[in-house]
Amino acid sequence: MDTNDQYGDPHGTGHPGLPRPRSRNTPGRTRLVAAAGAAALTLTAGLATPLDPAPQQARAAGDGKKVLTVAVAQSVDSLSPFLAVRLLSTSIHRLTYEYLTNYDPEDNHVVPGLATTWESSPDKLTWTYTIRSDSTWSDGRRATAEDAAWTFNTMMTDEGAATANGSFVANFEKVTAPSPTRLVIRLKKPQATMTALDVPIVPKHVWEKVGDYAKFNNDEDFPVVGNGPFVLTGYKADSYVRLKANKKFWRGAPKFDELVFRYYKDQDAAVSALRKGEVSFVAGSPSLTPAQAASLRGEKNIHVNDAPGRRFYALATNPGAKAKNGRRMGDGHPSLLDQRVRHALFMAVDRRTVIDKVFQGHAVEGAGYIPPRFSQYFWKPSPGQELAYDPAKAARLLDQAGYEKSGDGKRIGKDGRPITYRVLCHATDPNDKAIGKYLQEWWGDLGIGVTLTCLDNVTDPWLAGEYDLAFDGWSVNPDPDFVLSIHTCAALPATPKDTGATDNFVCDKKYDELYARQLAEYDPDKRADIVKRMESRLYDLGYMNVMAYPNAVEAYRTDHIESITTMPAKAGNIYGQDGYWSWWSAVPADSGESDGGSSSAGVVVGIVAGAVVLAGLGVFAVMRRRATAEDRE
C-alpha cells in the first residue's frame, strides 16, 4: 500500500494535511510505492517542478558543501514517526531517529542500534535492552532508555500515537527504564519480533509537549530534534525534504554534508535531470521503467542498478470494507464478496504477460505475499491450489456464481445492470496504467467492464472503501510481522469515521489465529511454516492478487557518487533500504575516500559487527530480513 511503500496510499498515504490522519495503512502505503529517489551532489542550478516552479537555488560547489539530492516520485504522508507509513517518510525517519536494533547491510541479520545488547528471561516474557551511552539528540541532550520507554508507552496508551506502528506494542504489558542505559519490556505473551521492533525512538523532552498525536505532522518547526545520521532541517510539501549530516552521530558522520529529497511528479523529468547531472540518483516510481533503464545504460558516468526488490505488486479487491464495530463502509461492488468471482478475476490475469510486456523482465511472477528475496518466508501455491491463467475456467466460475452473460455479451449483476469494476490506480505509476489496459482487455473478454480511476491521491477513496479493486504494493522488512499485521481484524478502523492500520479491510478469523501463532513462535523454522500458511490463506481468500515482485531498478551518476552501499551487499537495492546505510555510506566522487568500488558495504559491516547478546535465544541473532512497508516501509 509502501511502507513502510507502501502502494502505500496504496502507494502512499495521503498527506499533506492527512485528511484522516490516523491512517497507518493508507492504501497507498506506498511504502510500497516507495517513492523513487535521486541524488544530486553539488548542484549549480535549482530543480523546477510543477509544484515548486521556483525552488530554492542549490548551493554552489564554491561553498565547499557536498549536497546529495534525491529525486523522489512519492509525497510525504507525515513527518511524524507515529503516523507515517509511506516508504519515503519511513526512510526519512530511519535517517533521523535510531531504532533499538538495525539490520546488517551485508546479509540483513540483526545488529545493534540504539541498543547495544539485549536478552530475554527464561519464560521469554521479559526483555532487557542495554541502551548505548554515546548517542545524543541533535539539541545536545543524551538519548536514554527513558526516551525509548516513553515512546513505547505513548504508543500503548494513545490511539493516535499507535497509528503507524501500533502492532509492535499491542502485546506489551509494561515498559520501564530503571536507568539511563537499561530498558525493560514486559510482554503479555511471547513475541518473536523483539529484535525487530521497527519503531523510531523519539526524544521525550520534545514529543511530550505534543497535544494530539493523531494530528501532529512534525512539519513546522525545524530543525527537528533527532539522533540519526542526518538532522531534518526543512520541508515543503510535494517539493523537497532537506537534511544535514549529523556530525555527532555515534556511528560516524555521513560523507555528504546535506541530503535533499526532491519531488518529481514527472518521472521522465527526473531521469532527464540525472542525465544532465542535475541529480545524482534516481529510482523512479517506484522503479525506473524498462525504457528509462535501457536509455540510461551505456551512458557516460551513469550506472544502472537492477537487483531483486523487497516489494510485491498486487491487485487488491474490496472485501466489503467495514469497521471494527461491524458497520459497513464505502461502496464496493457486491459481486466481489463471492470468492468465486474473485478467483475468476485473478484467473483472467496473465502474470506472464505482466512480467514480459509491462516489466519487460525486470520482475518475477507473483504468488505469495512475501518476495523470493526473503527465501525463508517465500511461499508458492501447490499445482492444485494455483489460480493459474485460465480464461475459460474463469468464465465458468462466473457462470456458477450466477453472473451470466446477457445477449450483448456483458455480465449482469444481481441488480440487473452490467458489471463494471472501478479500479484505483496511481497517476504517477506507469505500471498501473499499462496493466489497467490489459485488465480492460482480459476482463472485457469475460463480459466485465473496467473503469480505471488514476489519481494523484488514492488515499481518500481507499480509506473510505470507495473502490472495487486497486493496485497495491508494499516493501517488506526483514521480519514479516508488520506486513502480515495489516490484514488482521485488529487493524480495521474502530468506526467508519476513523482510520485503521488495515491495508485492504481484510478480516478473517482463521488468518488472525495464524497471525497470533507466528507472533508467539520463537523457533525460526516453525515460525516460517506458520507464515507460509498465512500466505496460503490470503491466496485462497482471493482478496489480494500478487502479480509480480518487481526488481529495484535505479541509476546514479558515478561522477557524483564514488561508492554507495547496496542492501543486501550482493544484488541489493540502494533506495528504500531497511536502514540508513546507502545515504550514510555514500562517498562523494571527489572525496578521495573510496576504494573505487560501487559498494561500501564492507565498511558498514566492520562497524556493526558488534556483540549482539540474546540470552538463551540465539535464534534471533540470525533472524534474516523477511518481507514486510516500510516497510514496513
Side-chain angles (χ1 to χ4, degrees):
M1 187 116 287
D2 180 304
T3 291
N4 194 134
D5 219 245
Q6 206 206 99
Y7 267 156
D9 247 21
H11 285 260
T13 278
H15 191 72
L18 285 170
R20 301 178 70 179
R22 277 216 249 113
S23 154
R24 149 206 182 134
N25 178 16
T26 173
R29 267 178 194 99
T30 266
R31 279 174 164 239
L32 205 205
V33 144
L41 272 132
T42 52
L43 304 183
T44 57
L47 303 179
T49 71
L51 295 177
D52 189 19
Q56 180 179 356
Q57 198 75 358
R59 288 183 177 82
D63 68 0
K65 290 188 177 181
K66 295 180 172 61
V67 182
L68 182 65
T69 301
V70 178
V72 296
Q74 184 184 42
S75 298
V76 168
D77 54 346
S78 178
L79 290 176
S80 165
F82 294 121
L83 300 178
V85 296
R86 287 184 179 176
L87 181 61
L88 172 59
S89 307
T90 56
S91 295
I92 291 169
H93 291 142
R94 286 187 179 276
L95 295 170
T96 54
Y97 300 102
E98 275 281 38
Y99 296 32
L100 288 183
T101 59
N102 209 326
Y103 303 103
D104 192 297
E106 179 74 18
D107 60 5
N108 307 302
H109 72 267
V110 177
V111 296
L114 184 60
T116 59
T117 61
W118 45 89
E119 61 182 5
S120 74
S121 60
D123 63 3
K124 301 174 183 149
L125 293 177
T126 300
W127 285 76
T128 302
Y129 302 81
T130 299
I131 303 301
R132 65 177 59 258
S133 57
D134 57 351
S135 177
T136 59
W137 298 111
S138 53
D139 63 0
R141 291 205 191 188
R142 176 180 164 187
T144 69
E146 185 176 6
D147 294 306
W150 184 88
T151 298
F152 291 128
N153 279 309
T154 301
M155 292 167 59
M156 293 163 60
T157 58
D158 187 289
E159 185 180 354
T163 296
N165 299 302
S167 63
F168 288 112
V169 302
N171 182 46
F172 286 13
E173 182 175 281
K174 186 178 182 181
V175 182
T176 59
S179 76
T181 59
R182 188 163 175 254
L183 175 73
V184 180
I185 300 177
R186 177 73 180 175
L187 304 173
K188 300 172 185 175
K189 54 186 178 182
Q191 180 170 323
T193 61
M194 296 308 289
T195 60
L197 298 173
D198 293 326
V199 176
I201 302 302
V202 301
K204 173 185 176 182
H205 65 281
V206 174
W207 283 82
E208 65 183 352
K209 301 173 185 177
V210 173
D212 188 343
Y213 293 101
K215 297 180 179 179
F216 180 71
N217 283 312
N218 196 30
D219 58 2
E220 295 182 358
D221 296 322
F222 298 97
V224 172
V225 178
N227 63 340
F230 290 90
V231 178
L232 181 56
T233 59
Y235 165 69
K236 182 177 180 180
D238 292 329
S239 181
Y240 67 84
V241 179
R242 189 180 301 278
L243 307 97
K244 71 175 181 179
N246 181 0
K247 301 299 183 181
K248 297 181 179 179
F249 183 51
W250 68 269
R251 204 185 287 276
K255 304 298 190 299
F256 281 91
D257 299 302
E258 288 193 353
L259 174 64
V260 178
F261 292 94
R262 174 74 63 180
Y263 176 76
Y264 278 88
K265 184 176 181 180
D266 185 335
Q267 187 167 313
D268 286 331
V271 172
S272 176
L274 179 76
R275 221 180 240 108
K276 297 174 184 176
E278 294 175 343
V279 301
S280 301
F281 180 95
V282 62
S285 172
S287 293
L288 295 178
T289 66
Q292 289 167 339
S295 72
L296 292 172
R297 281 194 174 88
E299 288 215 9
K300 184 179 179 180
N301 297 325
I302 291 181
H303 173 73
V304 176
N305 183 49
D306 189 345
R310 53 182 285 240
R311 301 179 49 246
F312 65 80
Y313 181 84
L315 191 62
T317 303
N318 189 329
K322 64 180 179 180
K324 287 180 185 176
N325 64 5
R327 294 191 59 186
R328 294 288 177 179
M329 302 169 57
D331 56 3
H333 201 287
S335 65
L336 296 173
L337 299 179
D338 192 318
Q339 186 182 46
R340 294 169 296 184
V341 173
R342 300 193 297 271
H343 282 187
L345 293 178
F346 294 168
M347 293 175 73
V349 171
D350 186 353
R351 290 177 176 80
R352 191 67 255 163
T353 293
V354 170
I355 301 303
D356 293 342
K357 301 298 185 182
V358 178
F359 290 100
Q360 296 183 27
H362 298 279
V364 296
E365 287 188 47
Y369 201 57
I370 297 175
R373 171 163 153 176
F374 307 110
S375 58
Q376 183 180 7
Y377 299 99
F378 179 60
W379 170 89
K380 295 179 66 175
S382 63
Q385 181 185 18
E386 184 181 8
L387 298 173
Y389 181 57
D390 191 338
K393 187 174 181 179
R396 291 195 297 271
L397 282 176
L398 291 174
D399 289 340
Q400 294 169 14
Y403 299 100
E404 299 181 349
K405 285 186 176 181
S406 62
D408 59 1
K410 296 182 178 179
R411 299 278 173 179
I412 304 300
K414 304 298 184 183
D415 59 2
R417 294 185 294 180
I419 296 176
T420 296
Y421 292 133
R422 301 158 300 161
V423 180
L424 274 178
C425 86
H426 302 81
T428 57
D429 193 334
N431 294 328
D432 285 8
K433 296 176 182 178
I435 296 174
K437 292 187 179 299
Y438 277 112
L439 294 181
Q440 290 175 328
E441 175 186 338
W442 294 330
W443 293 354
D445 290 342
L446 289 177
I448 291 175
V450 172
T451 299
L452 285 179
T453 306
C454 297
L455 306 172
D456 289 333
N457 173 19
V458 300
T459 299
D460 292 347
W462 192 299
L463 293 178
E466 295 171 352
Y467 63 97
D468 297 323
L469 297 104
F471 288 101
D472 190 10
W474 282 85
S475 293
V476 176
N477 293 337
D479 188 280
D481 180 74
F482 177 84
V483 81
L484 297 173
S485 73
I486 58 181
H487 289 307
T488 61
C489 299
L492 295 175
T495 72
K497 295 182 179 180
D498 297 309
T499 300
T502 183
D503 174 47
N504 192 47
F505 298 97
V506 174
C507 178
D508 176 70
K509 186 175 182 180
K510 183 175 180 180
Y511 178 88
D512 277 13
E513 291 172 352
L514 291 170
Y515 174 78
R517 286 181 56 190
Q518 68 82 29
L519 184 61
E521 181 55 68
Y522 281 81
D523 182 281
D525 293 334
K526 291 181 179 178
R527 186 181 181 215
D529 180 66
I530 299 172
V531 169
K532 291 177 182 178
R533 291 173 62 186
M534 295 175 69
E535 295 181 80
S536 177
R537 179 63 178 172
L538 276 179
Y539 186 87
D540 289 343
L541 288 172
Y543 293 122
M544 296 288 296
N545 177 15
V546 178
M547 296 179 288
Y549 307 114
N551 286 4
V553 186
E554 49 202 3
Y556 64 89
R557 295 196 63 91
T558 56
D559 56 343
H560 289 183
I561 301 174
E562 179 70 20
S563 65
I564 192 166
T565 297
T566 58
M567 184 177 184
K570 295 181 180 179
N573 58 292
I574 295 172
Y575 181 83
Q577 295 180 354
D578 292 295
Y580 40 65
W581 311 115
S582 56
W583 311 126
W584 172 75
S585 70
V587 176
D590 60 353
S591 70
E593 297 184 36
S594 173
D595 59 6
S598 61
S599 171
S600 56
V603 177
V604 179
V605 175
I607 296 174
V608 300
V612 180
V613 177
L614 204 56
L617 289 171
V619 297
F620 270 124
V622 296
M623 184 177 290
R624 298 298 194 214
R625 92 161 5 206
R626 191 46 207 157
T628 161
E630 185 125 23
D631 167 52
R632 251 193 35 101
E633 288 88 265

